[in-house]
Amino acid sequence: MSQATKNGVSSPYVELDREAWAALRASTPLSLTETDLAELRGTSDPTSLEDVRDIYLPLSRLLNLYVGATQQRHAAVRAFLGEADRPAPFVIGVAGSVAVGKSTTARLLRSLLAQWPNHPHVELVSTDNFLHPNAVLEARGLMRRKGFPESYDRRSLVRFVSEMKAGAEQLEIPVYSHLHYDIVQGERQTVRRPDILIVEGINVLQPATAGRLAVADFFDFSIYVDAKVGNIRNWYLDRFRELRRTAFSDPRSYFHHMATTTREEEALEFAANTWRTINEVNLVENIQPTRGRATLVLYKGDDHRVRRVRLRKT
């Protein structure tokens, strides 16, 4: 069912349950295979091909319509100005808590959107690449605030998206390693002018401070992946257990000791305390309050499946 009014008052939002949203897929083909999906899913993320069919294909179709309309508008402006250069990239922001599944959402959209013929070049950038290096965070006393707005080089992030939007042919940005838990010195990600740029990160919908621009000011469409705080906590701990068994066992991992010298009970207590004192605080104080700024919200149930979708119509 859809809902465009509340208590008899018209709303700029429409809310649809899973069944109603899935029907909007129309004839959009499902081209991903189980193998493809396995490469796109995050650690412990249970997203299935059924989820792709019911949730992400309708979203891909909607975004394709948005991109087409935006390209037409840009073409009209260029014709008016007598310009012949390519249109600016369509920029999508994907926000949500740690462990809620936003990275999987972003990777799925990159894959699905690139299959539409009018925008085959899709780039994905994580705002983790714009975290300050650990040395800077330590000098500023911010290591326990990693992931909070002040831990990012927001000026560089805004400059990057602004230059992409202005038509830069190619830009290089830092690279963040989850294995090393730090920016990798000397390594760069090259971003070539795309048809669509997806910017994924926990705080991408943060408003600007007075007199400044925020990265969200450059978004043509934004998505917030939402769930109850208690559910996200459980998924965070599930992911930590899996990482302890896999990635943390790599001797190069920043958290290698969690897999080798720390007992399981102590490791899980560390994870629970990290969630309680850092990630949950950041979610409640900084991330969740930006949900209302999103064009579309995906609401997940306790099984990680999207149960309903809210879309801003205007």
Side-chain angles (χ1 to χ4, degrees):
M1 63 181 293
S2 64
Q3 184 178 0
T5 60
K6 185 175 183 179
N7 298 325
V9 179
S10 296
S11 168
Y13 299 96
V14 60
E15 192 163 310
L16 302 102
D17 62 21
R18 185 182 178 104
E19 183 180 3
W21 176 257
L24 299 176
R25 167 193 172 188
S27 59
T28 309
L30 174 59
S31 54
L32 287 182
T33 66
E34 284 285 0
T35 301
D36 297 328
L37 182 58
E39 294 177 353
L40 297 172
R41 276 193 299 249
T43 302
S44 298
D45 190 310
T47 299
S48 66
L49 283 178
E50 181 184 7
D51 296 320
V52 176
R53 183 195 66 205
D54 290 351
I55 303 301
Y56 296 102
L57 285 179
L59 180 52
S60 170
R61 178 177 175 237
L62 174 65
L63 286 168
N64 182 58
L65 294 172
Y66 263 83
V67 173
T70 301
Q71 288 176 339
Q72 288 182 359
R73 187 175 74 248
H74 288 174
V77 174
R78 291 197 311 278
F80 173 74
L81 296 173
E83 297 177 348
D85 61 324
R86 283 175 53 194
F90 186 92
V91 183
I92 302 169
V94 181
S97 171
V98 169
V100 79
K102 68 186 178 307
S103 297
T104 297
T105 294
R107 288 190 292 264
L108 277 169
L109 289 177
R110 176 182 58 183
S111 179
L112 294 172
L113 288 171
Q115 295 172 20
W116 292 89
N118 59 327
H119 43 76
H121 183 195
V122 183
E123 291 271 12
L124 170 60
V125 168
S126 170
T127 60
D128 286 347
N129 293 338
F130 293 90
L131 280 162
H132 287 297
N134 286 353
V136 174
L137 296 177
E138 289 170 355
R140 298 180 182 179
L142 292 175
M143 279 300 288
R144 295 285 295 175
R145 302 278 291 179
K146 196 167 187 176
F148 284 68
E150 62 269 27
S151 66
Y152 292 88
D153 185 349
R154 287 175 285 182
R155 183 175 298 178
S156 293
L157 174 59
V158 168
R159 183 169 59 247
F160 162 71
V161 179
S162 172
E163 291 179 2
M164 274 280 116
K165 195 75 169 174
E169 287 296 330
Q170 179 175 301
L171 294 173
E172 291 190 348
I173 61 175
V175 172
Y176 182 82
S177 167
H178 288 277
L179 181 69
H180 299 292
Y181 196 60
D182 201 357
I183 297 294
V184 181
Q185 294 299 317
E187 190 170 336
R188 310 289 285 181
Q189 176 183 349
T190 300
V191 183
R192 295 176 175 85
R193 185 177 185 175
D195 301 306
I196 299 174
L197 173 65
I198 301 173
V199 181
E200 172 264 319
I202 56 180
N203 282 309
V204 294
L205 293 179
Q206 283 286 317
T209 56
R212 295 180 179 270
L213 287 171
V215 66
D217 293 324
F218 298 95
F219 293 163
D220 296 291
F221 193 98
S222 55
I223 299 162
Y224 186 96
V225 185
D226 196 23
K228 292 180 179 178
V229 174
N231 288 336
I232 304 175
R233 174 188 181 276
N234 292 337
W235 301 337
Y236 175 81
L237 294 177
D238 288 343
R239 187 177 73 173
F240 182 89
R241 292 185 186 95
E242 181 64 17
L243 288 171
R244 187 171 181 269
R245 189 183 66 82
T246 55
F248 292 173
S249 63
D250 188 325
R252 298 170 298 167
S253 172
Y254 181 87
F255 294 105
H256 182 57
H257 63 285
M258 287 290 165
T260 55
T261 61
T262 306
R263 292 185 303 167
E264 183 173 6
E265 312 88 76
E266 293 174 346
L268 291 177
E269 177 54 34
F270 168 82
N273 183 64
T274 299
W275 170 263
R276 184 172 57 252
T277 61
I278 299 176
N279 293 312
E280 184 174 351
V281 174
N282 196 18
L283 171 58
V284 173
E285 292 183 357
N286 298 306
I287 304 167
Q288 214 169 50
T290 69
R291 178 177 53 197
R293 294 169 55 83
T295 314
L296 179 139
V297 181
L298 300 173
Y299 292 97
K300 289 188 171 185
D302 56 11
D303 57 358
H304 234 300
R305 287 162 56 87
V306 175
R307 295 300 183 187
R308 54 194 174 94
V309 177
R310 189 187 72 176
L311 173 66
R312 191 170 68 224
K313 299 182 296 180
T314 57

